[in-house]
Amino acid sequence: MALTMNDVDRFEASRPRLEAIAYRLLGSASEAEDAVQETFLRWQGADVDRIEVPEAWLTKVLTNLCLNQLTSARARRETYVGQWLPEPLLAGDPMLGPADTAEQRESVSYAVLALLERLTPGERAVYVLREAFDYPHREIAAILDVTEAASQQIFHRAKKHVAEGRARTEIDEAAARRIIDEFLAAATSGRTEPLVRLLTQDAVSIGDGGGKVPARAKAFEGALAVATFLRGLFKPSKAKRALAGGSPEVYATTANGDPAVVAVLDGRVIGVMCLEITPEGIAGFRNQVNPDKLERATRRWAAADHGEPLLNAF
């Protein structure tokens, strides 16, 4: 049946929420957009006049599309070159979704998105719908075709798995900027000691180059190993400039709600480093340099003014 303009408007009103759900489920903005577009095609082919609650119908269709995608994604990631990390979303991106509560903000943090990779697709769906979007278990059960009791059990199991990861500390924008300034001063000092003092003893650094940009396949673990890597990363050299195609500008911002360092070359985002902050110090660096996962970040970056860079890398 042909959609009326009212039907299209009803879908478009739901699009931001659908994209935010899909991003949390898939960890990929481009795949989230594809899933939402496929949901629209299903909406277009449905007898919408017979759908009593469009929001529930659209959420069910989208969630099941994402569950299918997650199942196939697991097989693809077995052959992925190096470490797999989610696609980062820069400050202000509408796909970040609701941020009214601490749970909602944490659910889209880069560290938690990485932890969600440990969950089964079903656990991930229940966790996202409940924790980030406050769906009651009755509605989640209907979306996933399980009982309400099963939804509650799955949620408690998923939340326990996520809680076993490192506790995240919420900080405001001003505090995030201070942390970045202090980190960059230490990273460009040419010495490891200032960096070690900022890190937790079990700090880790993970990079995702997707086989297209050099990134170590194995994570750096421990404060000294991470500090040594970061000192070398920020040490200028002709080889690095040649590899990057120039000397990138480095900015401070937030990505997925966390303090982040963004490297920009000729208007193109070539790297996003997300910092995981705990009460004990910086516990993790997740570095996204796969160009396929930085296209949206580049578009978002070009649409806003970010002032002067903090430094030029390499």
Side-chain angles (χ1 to χ4, degrees):
M1 296 180 65
L3 294 181
T4 65
M5 285 303 300
N6 184 54
D7 295 331
V8 174
D9 289 343
R10 287 159 74 189
F11 180 86
E12 291 302 324
S14 294
R15 183 183 289 274
R17 178 181 56 83
L18 295 174
E19 287 189 343
I21 291 173
Y23 172 70
R24 282 170 167 83
L25 287 175
L26 300 173
S28 165
S30 58
E31 290 181 3
E33 289 173 338
D34 290 344
V36 172
Q37 187 58 29
E38 180 61 30
T39 302
F40 175 73
L41 295 177
R42 303 286 179 93
W43 174 252
Q44 194 174 36
D47 185 353
V48 297
D49 291 335
R50 296 173 65 97
I51 298 174
E52 295 182 7
V53 186
E55 178 181 293
W57 188 92
L58 291 169
T59 303
K60 183 179 179 72
V61 170
L62 174 81
T63 301
N64 283 284
L65 286 170
C66 289
L67 287 175
N68 292 336
Q69 181 78 356
L70 280 171
T71 301
S72 62
R74 291 198 165 204
R76 291 200 311 275
R77 286 172 194 169
E78 289 179 1
T79 60
Y80 191 82
V81 179
Q83 299 276 346
W84 185 94
L85 289 174
E87 181 176 346
L89 297 183
L90 300 183
D93 194 313
M95 199 176 279
L96 288 169
D100 299 324
T101 67
E103 291 79 12
Q104 289 173 336
R105 292 188 292 274
E106 185 177 65
S107 71
V108 79
S109 73
Y110 215 52
V112 167
L113 286 179
L115 286 171
L116 291 182
E117 290 294 306
R118 302 178 182 178
L119 306 183
T120 66
E123 288 172 340
R124 187 164 183 162
V126 172
Y127 181 87
V128 166
L129 291 172
R130 179 63 183 161
E131 192 80 346
F133 295 90
D134 203 27
Y135 276 81
H137 284 290
R138 172 176 44 80
E139 292 184 21
I140 296 173
I143 289 169
L144 298 177
D145 293 324
V146 298
T147 66
E148 187 171 346
S151 175
Q152 292 171 335
Q153 291 173 352
I154 293 169
F155 175 69
H156 289 307
R157 186 167 63 242
K159 193 167 185 177
K160 181 181 178 182
H161 287 320
V162 173
E164 288 171 355
R166 199 183 310 274
R168 174 174 176 262
T169 300
E170 278 208 87
I171 56 176
D172 59 26
E173 188 173 343
R177 176 57 187 268
R178 287 195 298 272
I179 289 169
I180 293 295
D181 286 344
E182 190 175 4
F183 163 67
L184 288 176
T188 56
S189 69
R191 298 182 295 124
T192 56
E193 293 82 0
L195 280 164
V196 169
R197 286 196 292 270
L198 295 178
L199 309 179
T200 62
Q201 286 302 305
D202 57 350
V204 297
S205 179
I206 303 170
D208 179 349
K212 300 186 175 183
V213 173
R216 192 170 187 257
K218 191 173 184 293
F220 291 94
E221 299 180 356
L224 183 58
V226 172
T228 302
F229 161 68
L230 291 170
R231 183 195 63 189
L233 180 65
F234 282 90
K235 184 178 181 180
S237 76
K238 291 182 179 179
K240 290 176 189 172
R241 287 192 291 274
L243 182 63
S247 183
E249 297 175 331
V250 175
Y251 295 83
T253 185
T254 61
N256 294 73
D258 293 322
V261 175
V262 176
V264 181
L265 183 63
D266 298 330
R268 179 170 54 89
V269 174
I270 65 168
V272 176
M273 174 185 285
C274 295
L275 279 63
E276 182 184 353
I277 308 301
T278 71
E280 292 75 32
I282 304 175
F285 298 85
R286 291 176 174 85
N287 313 311
Q288 184 57 260
V289 292
N290 182 345
D292 294 342
K293 297 182 182 181
L294 295 172
E295 293 178 359
R296 184 181 180 93
T298 294
R299 294 195 300 270
R300 293 290 307 174
W301 191 263
D305 178 23
H306 303 279
E308 294 298 314
L310 299 179
L311 57 92
N312 282 80
F314 310 153

